[in-house]
Amino acid sequence: LHAGAGAGVGSLGRASGHVLLGTALVWPRIRWGIRLDHALVRRFRIDPGDLGGNLSALTAGTEVSVPVELGPIQLLPTAGVRAGSVRARGVGGGARTRWVPWVLGAAGLSLVWPVSNPWRLRVGAEVEVPMVRHTFKFDDRFVTNSQGIGGLLWLGPELGFR
């Protein structure tokens, strides 16, 4: 089991905070797991007036890692696919909430340090490639475009049962 918090940039067109939760089955040469990821973009404002909104993305998917032992540290190259949706919610004006599909592929690298049995500390970096693109507008005013590539850095605990 692992959890994490971090920051992302790019895919949603703005910087975002991330929280994630995952679990995996572990064999000597491979880890196969599932992961839930929630990205939150800081509220944006549109001039003039009190117009603005929020963006967030919720995805779930599968990932595969190939563990590489480097002494007490474990290196985890990982690839995965996640699907879900982006939620755009306007504030003021003709505000409304809209959900749009969100599918992305990800590749990354994590380092896992043993802290105490069964706890470990895991830090990860990923490249995300959205397979769908969206343009976000508010009352016909351009807000942002989702991008073709993004990045994510995260840190969190891992609990292992062997």
Side-chain angles (χ1 to χ4, degrees):
L1 301 172
H2 70 275
V9 65
S11 348
L12 287 174
R14 295 177 176 264
S16 57
H18 281 257
V19 291
L20 58 95
L21 181 62
T23 186
L25 295 173
V26 178
W27 290 279
R29 296 180 190 248
I30 197 167
R31 282 185 178 199
W32 175 76
I34 56 174
R35 180 169 134 185
L36 181 66
D37 195 301
H38 188 66
L40 301 162
V41 173
R42 184 173 166 245
R43 177 174 281 188
F44 56 85
R45 297 188 60 79
I46 302 171
D47 290 324
D50 292 331
L51 301 179
N54 298 308
L55 287 176
S56 64
L58 181 62
T59 58
T62 186
E63 58 186 15
V64 176
S65 302
V66 179
V68 177
E69 302 293 336
L70 300 172
I73 297 172
Q74 190 176 64
L75 185 66
L76 289 175
T78 303
V81 176
R82 295 191 306 273
S85 64
V86 174
R87 176 181 175 261
R89 185 178 67 82
V91 176
R96 66 178 200 251
T97 300
R98 183 161 182 221
W99 295 83
V100 292
W102 191 243
V103 180
L104 57 88
L109 188 62
S110 295
L111 292 173
V112 182
W113 287 275
V115 176
S116 68
N117 198 22
W119 292 99
R120 299 171 187 90
L121 179 63
R122 185 168 171 180
V123 60
E126 298 177 18
V127 173
E128 299 176 328
V129 179
M131 297 176 196
V132 291
R133 302 276 303 272
H134 299 292
T135 298
F136 297 99
K137 294 182 177 181
F138 186 93
D139 287 348
D140 295 326
R141 294 184 199 163
F142 173 78
V143 175
T144 189
N145 283 327
S146 57
Q147 301 299 306
I149 193 165
L152 171 62
L153 294 172
W154 61 274
L155 171 72
E158 181 175 279
L159 177 63
F161 305 99
R162 292 184 187 221

